[in-house]
Amino acid sequence: MTKAALLVLSLTACARPPQQEPSVVPGVPVTFDMGRGADTVVFRRSITRAGQDTSAGTRTVVLQVVPGPNRVALLEVEQRFPGGGGTIVDTAIAELHTLRAVAHRSHQPTRTMRFDFTATDAVGVVTTAFPDSTPRVDTVRQSLGGRIFDSNVLDLVIAALPLRPEFTTDLPFFIYERGGRVPMPVAVRERATIDFPVVGPRAAWVVSVGVPGAPATIWVDTETRAVLRTRYDITARSLSFTDDRITPLHDPG
């Protein structure tokens, strides 16, 4: 082979894009559209107990693309919302093109959590604060049994699925309190036009997710794939909390 041919092959190899990572669940692709720069979305939260709605502040979600190892683009999702008598700040890191969980950081009024996700395990540290005593530090290693999604970005994962009538699948999500890997059934219940409080009437996929102890319903805009509403029903406490999007939509075109 000539030197010229070797040079062409070398340049072609260098020009190839980074190899696409495999889907978390084979045969179930996700499509996440992230524009340039950071994006901030605000949801208004309400709690329903005994048929009475109570305002519970807002959930603010900041999304941005950050560089990762081996030229793999990563999605950073920081969320701030009320909880535990203060403000909870959760930061999830995922592969941009697959939403596979890479890392998670949670800062709560009485607890902090740090996890890194390998191909097989969640490895991290959980620090719990107690009044008038030394904080407890627990080293954690939980088996994942393969690639996984972070439950803290569950609504984004659902919105990125190939939603269609009668769509169903099972997805693995990470929940530390339940031992790591938690399979959840996902199903499109219907496509309906709903008048949302701020964004107005929109056609949406209504999707149910079998979160243990807190089944979720997620409304996804059929045109933009934005999450319009998320509701969790906490069965053991006979209450639900709902997040309604209050950030205006950016329609395609």
Side-chain angles (χ1 to χ4, degrees):
M1 185 177 290
T2 67
K3 290 184 178 180
L6 288 172
L7 178 60
V8 169
L9 288 175
S10 176
L11 291 175
T12 302
C14 292
R16 289 173 184 167
Q19 185 176 1
Q20 182 72 33
E21 295 291 335
S23 300
V24 171
V25 177
V28 183
V30 300
T31 303
F32 185 82
D33 184 16
M34 180 68 189
R36 296 180 179 179
D39 188 21
T40 300
V41 181
V42 181
F43 295 86
R44 183 173 60 202
R45 175 165 293 186
S46 62
I47 296 176
T48 302
R49 181 184 286 108
Q52 298 295 318
D53 293 337
T54 304
S55 176
T58 59
R59 175 168 67 100
T60 301
V61 184
V62 179
L63 306 95
Q64 63 179 333
V65 178
V66 297
N70 301 321
R71 299 172 62 201
V72 175
L74 301 178
L75 175 68
E76 179 185 272
V77 183
E78 182 190 272
Q79 304 190 60
R80 294 176 178 266
F81 52 92
T87 300
I88 295 175
V89 181
D90 283 342
T91 304
I93 306 292
E95 290 175 354
L96 177 63
H97 298 297
T98 67
L99 297 186
R100 178 188 72 87
V102 173
H104 179 78
R105 308 288 183 258
S106 181
H107 296 269
Q108 307 171 19
T110 60
R111 184 172 68 171
T112 61
M113 298 189 294
R114 298 176 60 88
F115 295 105
D116 293 302
F117 302 103
T118 71
T120 58
D121 298 285
V123 181
V125 176
V126 176
T127 303
T128 306
F130 297 97
D132 304 322
S133 65
T134 302
R136 187 182 71 211
V137 179
D138 296 312
T139 301
V140 177
R141 179 178 289 273
Q142 294 179 328
S143 176
L144 298 179
R147 298 163 69 84
I148 203 165
F149 296 113
D150 189 342
S151 61
N152 286 273
V153 291
L154 183 147
D155 55 350
L156 295 180
V157 173
I158 298 304
L161 293 173
L163 302 176
R164 59 183 182 272
E166 300 182 0
F167 173 84
T168 61
T169 190
D170 289 285
L171 300 182
F173 286 93
F174 175 76
I175 301 180
Y176 159 68
E177 293 83 358
R178 289 186 173 269
R181 187 183 186 91
V182 179
M184 300 185 194
V186 177
V188 170
R189 290 190 345 212
E190 63 175 336
R191 182 185 188 276
T193 298
I194 299 169
D195 192 5
F196 294 92
V198 176
V199 300
R202 303 290 303 188
W205 296 112
V206 185
V207 186
S208 62
V209 186
V211 181
T217 305
I218 300 172
W219 287 257
V220 179
D221 189 80
T222 60
E223 187 174 4
T224 66
R225 286 308 181 95
V227 177
L228 302 176
R229 173 184 292 163
T230 301
R231 187 185 73 219
Y232 288 89
D233 296 305
I234 316 299
T235 52
R237 299 168 58 188
S238 299
L239 63 83
S240 63
F241 66 85
T242 303
D243 289 349
D244 274 305
R245 181 184 176 115
I246 59 177
T247 299
L249 288 168
H250 301 288
D251 285 307

